[in-house]
Amino acid sequence: GSSRVLAAMKRHYDGAKAEERLHAIAERVPGVFVGMDMIAGFPGETDADHRETMLRLERSPWTRLHVFPYSLRKSTAAARMVAAGEGVPEPEKRERARELRVLSEKRLALELSAKVGRVMELLVEEKSARLDGVEHSQGHARAYFRILVPGSFKANARIPVRIVGALPKREALLGEAIK
């Protein structure tokens, strides 16, 4: 989310443009699941850059972050930045990644909870899941939220489900088929 870090990463957009796009997506597809990859501790990232990222994320619509600390890739521009002394110390990278993960877990839990009581269409996938010893069909809603439903439904079936619970640890919703 930091414009300075995005430029160092050779991205063709800045933090404001990314934020603008997130709001545009949310406006065009209300309730959509938006997941993003986030690198913590990219070479040259300062505390101020990290705070800018956190603030931008807090005010933007998204659902889940896939967070990982920067890891060195040989023969890259970023590796040369590390060699030039611009690397972020490991403890700082880990702490920044932890903060991003905590933010992501909170956001995902809120987004999932907000879906409870709604009716959504589930596209059933082939693979099933077990939850509390019970077989569940699983798949995704149009807005990409993962849903588990007790019972066995045919793959590729589209079934209406009422969302009855949130399963943040599974990054999913619990539904019941509407008959």
Side-chain angles (χ1 to χ4, degrees), residues 17-138:
K17 180 56 86 176
E19 186 174 351
E20 175 188 309
R21 293 285 167 91
L22 288 169
H23 284 281
I25 291 167
E27 187 176 308
R28 289 189 80 179
V29 188
V32 70
F33 185 107
V34 176
M36 298 184 290
D37 289 346
M38 296 294 294
I39 298 173
F42 188 81
E45 181 186 66
T46 65
D47 286 338
D49 294 326
H50 178 66
R51 283 192 306 276
E52 179 185 350
T53 296
M54 294 296 287
L55 288 171
R56 196 172 296 284
L57 287 169
E58 287 170 3
R59 67 181 180 241
S60 297
W62 52 272
T63 312
R64 180 188 177 277
L65 303 175
H66 176 228
V67 179
F68 47 97
Y70 169 79
S71 58
L72 187 71
R73 300 288 187 262
K74 293 179 182 178
S75 302
T76 63
R80 289 187 289 282
M81 292 171 73
V82 170
E86 295 183 60
V88 176
E90 287 299 321
E92 286 181 42
K93 281 196 278 189
R94 283 193 303 272
E95 177 57 21
R96 291 174 188 175
R98 186 197 66 76
E99 288 177 17
L100 287 163
R101 285 186 189 108
V102 166
L103 180 63
S104 179
E105 289 166 6
K106 286 179 183 176
R107 178 66 64 92
L108 179 61
L110 283 172
E111 293 290 326
L112 292 173
S113 294
K115 304 291 186 241
V116 174
R118 294 188 181 180
V119 173
M120 302 174 97
E121 183 180 68
L122 168 66
L123 175 60
V124 179
E125 297 172 357
E126 284 186 35
K127 189 176 178 183
S128 62
R130 291 194 77 70
L131 179 63
D132 298 327
V134 176
E135 195 71 21
H136 285 65
S137 292
Q138 67 176 345

